[in-house]
Each structure stands twice: as C-alpha cells, then as structure tokens.
Amino acid sequence: MELNRRTVIASAAAAGIAASALGGTAEAAPGAASHGRRPVKEHFGTLADGTKVYRWSLENGGTALKVLSYGGIVQSLEIPDRHGRRANVSLGFDSLDDYVASSPYFGALIGRYGNRIAKGRFTLDGKTYQLSVNDGDNSLHGGAKGFDKRVWDVEPFVSGSDVGLRLHHTSVDGDMGYPGTLRATVTYTLTRGGDWIIDYEATTDKATVVNLTSHVYWNLAGEGSGSIEDHELQIAAARYTPTDAGLIPTGELAKVAGTPFDFRRAKPVGRDIRAGHPQQVLAKGYDHNWVLDKGITAEPEHIATLRDPASGRTLRIATDQPGLQFYSGNFLDGTLTGTSGRTYRQGDALCLETQHFPDSPNQPAFPSTVLRPGETYRTRTVHRFSA
Ligand code: BGC
C-alpha cells in the first residue's frame, strides 16, 4: 500500500507532535506492509479467580502489537529491520501463568506511581498515607498489586488511518494505600506511519499522587537474542538523580558530564557500564532517572534514541514528561524463559520509562505529581520506529 506523506504528517499532527520532533520519517521501513486493521481479540488465559484474559492484536505501518487485558501488557511488539525482516523487540512470556507468577513488569502499564516512593509513605494536605511496600522498605510501581496486575477493560478503535486500544481501569479509594478513586484510561495508538503512541489520562475524587508509565523491555535485535550492550543510546539530559542504596533519589540533580551517565551523544550502552562509578555499583548498572533538559512540555519532544547498529532498528522517543528512567535490565538473572523459549540474562534488554521523578511526593523540589479533583492528568509518549 502506498504511503501518503500528507496523511502521515496529518496523523503525527493529530498526535500532537511536530512532524520534525522525532526526526527521521514516519514512513514504514522498506518491505513493511502498511495496513491498519481493526484489532482482533482472542482468549489468552484465565486467572485463578475465573477472570478471562484476552489478547488483542493490531498492526499498522509495519508495526505489530499484541496487548493483554491483564496489566495492559505489551506481549509482543514487532518492527522491521533495514531489510524488512520483522522481530519481536519486547521481552515477554507466551503464557498468562508466567506473567502472574514471576514477571518483572515485562511490557506492563505501571500505576498508580511509576518507580519508588520512600518507605511507601507520603504526606499530602497534612495527612500521611501508608502505601503497600513491596521493594525492601519502599513502594515500587504502585505496590504489591499495581496496575500491571489488574485486568483492564479494553475497547478497540479505528480512527482515520490510526488503529488502537483504549484501556480503562478504576482504582478504588484506598487501593494500595493511595487516596481517591482514580479513573485511568490509557490509549495505545498505532499510526499509519508505524508510530506507537501512548496517551495516559486519569481523574480523581480526592487529592492524590499519580505517575503512570510503560515498562517495555527493549531489545531491538529481538527478544532472547542476547545482550543490549551494543545498542547505542542517546538521552537529552545533562543531569540525573543519584540514589541511595534503596534506589531512592537523594534529591541532588547531579551533572552527567564526565561520568558514565553522560548519554548526551549516542554511545553503546556497554561502553561505560563497568566503569565502577559508585552509583552504578549501587544499581548493578544503570537504574536511574535522567532529568530531561526540556523539562515538562505542553507537547511531546524528542528525548532519547535507541539504535541497534546490526539490524538498523531505531527507536526515537518523544514525551511531555520531565524524566526518563533508564534501567539496563540489571536484575534479569537467567531464571526467566521468554516468549521464544530462550532465557533472559542480565543486560538482555533495557527499559526507557518516561515519567515524573521517583519519590516526588517526598521531594518538594521535584516537579509535583499531585492530582486534585476537577483536574485531568494527561500525558503522552510517542515511539517512532525506523530502520
Ligand atoms: C526499576 C528497577 C526495577 C525494575 C523492575 C524499573 O523501573 O527502576 O529498579 O528493578 O523496574 O523490574
């Protein structure tokens, strides 16, 4: 099918990004078919309580997504290489049981609060809330049963040349310790140019904190194919947030200049990963929040590029969020077997989570994550693929 450049640009504009914001073009790679079709639903598995979990398959502009109603999990994300050969570039499992038993958030939606809140505790409007603690003393990714472990209502759509899914979840007042009934909608859109856009929206009926993100583990050579240390990464950030031993930010916005944390120019992930910087020793690699130079923006702006030189597959990320958690898969330890039947070892994937800074509810100097009744939390992240 012929790609109409004007339609591509119109669709990027509809997505609220300047067509140039991500560089490259939004056109599908050579050999990649571009066909937006209505998403298809199939039964994927059944939870212990009898709830059925479905898998939705959708495709557009050479990008193919498989999404579970459980956790809004991206179970598979296929994109072409420079020869048009597609591979699944997102770590995952082929069975629901594996996701339930032991997933380190593979492909999942994260809420209510991405990353850590110290001691699982914060004070808002004079009231202290105790959250579910599930990572040493701290609360990680929303607590013991975060949004990654909820069954979402999924609604497919086709809109112009876009195809997508709207996922809805209501988290009741007090859920995992968080105040307020939070109504969340996350929209996954595949554009005709093959971009994957995530729109997050939430409202509350009591003051609360919220920080939603997506936890795809990327390996642009294909999941299960080995280490991502040769991938080249660029992050538009001159500062990052160093942490204590529990990976809670100390509050400092440290300069990346002269440290292994400097990704302002693209470099292989593995180049400085063994540099022995005390922050890397704490995290067993990279597991930090980068303070994006652009700050919070009204529209998504380009903030990071990941490229696998061997296949040519390239991911450009744009967001309106102020932070990016770059996690180099440090805790993958060879105990999990992925979709293609191969085990995942340390550094076999990396996560690039657009977000507010970790522990913001306890760090008055960080941008606020407070959401009040009458307000709508709304953020967007755009993934552009090319090869
Ligand atoms: C965190 C890591 C954590 C991982 C869970 C990442 O977002 O930064 O510290 O281990 O999620 O697999």
Side-chain angles (χ1 to χ4, degrees), residues 165-357:
L165 302 173
R166 262 180 222 102
L167 299 99
H168 305 280
H169 175 63
T170 298
S171 166
V172 298
D173 186 16
D175 185 12
M176 297 291 115
Y178 288 91
T181 304
L182 193 82
R183 293 180 195 283
T185 298
V186 178
T187 306
Y188 289 158
T189 303
L190 287 184
T191 69
R192 186 174 181 157
D195 288 355
W196 174 40
I197 301 172
I198 313 180
D199 283 289
Y200 304 88
E201 257 186 50
T203 57
T204 183
D205 60 0
K206 276 187 196 161
T208 191
V209 295
V210 63
N211 186 29
L212 306 182
T213 192
S214 158
H215 212 294
V216 169
Y217 282 70
W218 301 100
N219 184 325
L220 298 182
E223 64 77 31
S225 68
S227 167
I228 47 74
E229 287 193 23
D230 291 340
H231 282 34
E232 291 165 0
L233 178 64
Q234 173 261 333
I235 304 175
R239 293 179 184 267
Y240 74 108
T241 52
T243 69
D244 67 14
L247 302 185
I248 297 291
T250 60
E252 188 195 352
L253 306 184
K255 289 187 175 155
V256 299
T259 77
F261 293 83
D262 192 349
F263 283 90
R264 289 174 296 175
R265 281 160 182 251
K267 69 176 177 186
V269 169
R271 179 176 291 169
D272 298 325
I273 206 167
R274 293 175 183 79
H277 188 286
Q279 281 292 313
Q280 293 176 302
V281 175
L282 284 182
K284 301 191 165 59
Y286 296 107
D287 192 356
H288 293 79
N289 168 68
W290 267 252
V291 178
L292 299 172
D293 290 338
K294 68 169 190 68
I296 298 176
T297 41
E299 303 297 341
E301 292 184 16
H302 172 258
I303 52 111
T305 300
L306 181 68
R307 179 170 172 271
D308 169 35
S311 66
R313 291 192 191 96
T314 303
L315 160 65
R316 289 184 180 81
I317 300 181
T319 188
D320 48 19
Q321 292 292 280
L324 178 75
Q325 185 82 15
F326 161 35
Y327 166 58
S328 53
N330 314 326
F331 303 116
L332 297 173
D333 61 2
T335 56
L336 300 177
T337 300
T339 327
S340 58
R342 281 167 290 206
T343 53
Y344 296 142
R345 298 171 61 81
Q346 190 178 42
D348 278 1
L350 61 86
C351 301
L352 297 168
E353 302 152 65
T354 55
Q355 58 172 20
H356 268 258
F357 306 171

